[in-house]
Amino acid sequence: MKYWLMKSEPDAFSIDDLKEKKAKGEHWDGVRNYQARNFMRDNMKLGDKVLFYHSSCKVPGVVGIASVIKESHPDHTSWDPKSNYYDPKSTPEDPRWFMVDIKFEKKFSRTISLKELKEHIELKDLKLLQKGCRLSIMPIAKKEFEFIKSL
DNA sequence: GCCAACGTTGGC
DNA sequence: GCCAACGTTGGC
């Protein structure tokens, strides 16, 4: 089993929105970055655990846990001209973008803020904290996952 | 293949 | 709203 961190802007889609989807979960559409796509397409497997991170908001940080319930499948919003995520180079015959489905597992009793994460030496290698990291999906070590969960 | 211009992310 | 740090695009 692998561990991941996924960023979402709570104004667009928050942990509470995911919670409302219950067991049905939600597909993680709209990723238009090749590195993040490759993680979803090639590496994310059923049952993998995900730290849900709120970005571009008042208190950015980790807010809960989700899990993968469906492995890579084409992101249909990429060939929908009406979608914000439309990419004319992607078609149903030759999809360029992929997504996984995740479902809510738990919400932490508090937000573990970015500021707090930075204070722990145990998390010094966390990709999220590396300078200039703009990846919206990144792998994290089991150690790091367990540590953050324990905070 | 280089690189300037442009667009995006995301913390602050 | 600012801006640093990237990623992408496209001319050459």
Side-chain angles (χ1 to χ4, degrees), chain A residues 14 21 25 35 38 43 47 51-52 62 64 66 70-72 75 80 93 112 122 128 135 138:
Chain A
S14 72
K21 302 283 178 181
Q35 243 187 308
N38 293 348
N43 302 111
L51 287 179
F52 199 103
V62 177
K70 185 176 180 184
E71 295 179 6
S72 170
D75 181 345
D80 175 5
E93 295 73 32
I112 300 165
E122 291 89 342
L128 178 76
L135 267 181
M138 68 193 78

Side-chain angles (χ1 to χ4, degrees), chain A residues 94-147:
Chain A
D94 185 20
R96 170 171 299 211
W97 301 108
F98 295 82
M99 58 190 178
V100 299
D101 289 13
I102 64 171
K103 77 170 172 69
F104 177 84
E105 291 282 340
K106 73 178 281 190
K107 183 180 177 179
F108 295 147
S109 55
R110 64 189 184 92
T111 298
I112 300 165
S113 69
L114 177 62
K115 180 171 176 291
E116 181 176 352
L117 295 174
K118 284 177 180 166
E119 288 166 358
H120 293 287
I121 187 76
E122 291 89 342
L123 300 175
K124 65 176 168 45
D125 295 326
L126 201 64
K127 279 200 173 52
L128 178 76
L129 305 181
Q130 306 309 306
K131 188 174 170 185
C133 176
R134 296 182 348 187
L135 267 181
S136 60
I137 299 174
M138 68 193 78
I140 68 174
K142 179 171 202 276
K143 255 192 330 199
E144 294 164 339
F145 180 90
E146 298 295 347
F147 181 78

Side-chain angles (χ1 to χ4, degrees), chain A residues 23-122:
Chain A
K24 184 156 61 81
E26 181 64 299
H27 42 246
W28 204 259
D29 60 14
V31 170
R32 297 294 178 266
N33 168 281
Y34 288 103
Q35 243 187 308
R37 177 204 68 180
N38 293 348
F39 285 137
M40 286 199 290
R41 191 189 58 186
D42 306 331
N43 302 111
M44 293 184 82
K45 299 299 176 196
L46 212 59
D48 281 3
K49 299 293 184 195
V50 174
L51 287 179
F52 199 103
Y53 179 92
H54 281 172
S55 67
S56 297
C57 56
K58 202 156 193 176
V59 184
V62 177
V63 292
I65 297 175
S67 63
V68 177
I69 54 169
K70 185 176 180 184
E71 295 179 6
S72 170
H73 53 110
D75 181 345
H76 54 82
T77 65
S78 67
W79 56 73
D80 175 5
K82 292 192 292 292
S83 168
N84 287 336
Y85 304 124
Y86 177 58
D87 178 355
K89 298 194 197 79
S90 182
T91 64
E93 295 73 32
D94 185 20
R96 170 171 299 211
W97 301 108
F98 295 82
M99 58 190 178
V100 299
D101 289 13
I102 64 171
K103 77 170 172 69
F104 177 84
E105 291 282 340
K106 73 178 281 190
K107 183 180 177 179
F108 295 147
S109 55
R110 64 189 184 92
T111 298
I112 300 165
S113 69
L114 177 62
K115 180 171 176 291
E116 181 176 352
L117 295 174
K118 284 177 180 166
E119 288 166 358
H120 293 287
I121 187 76
E122 291 89 342

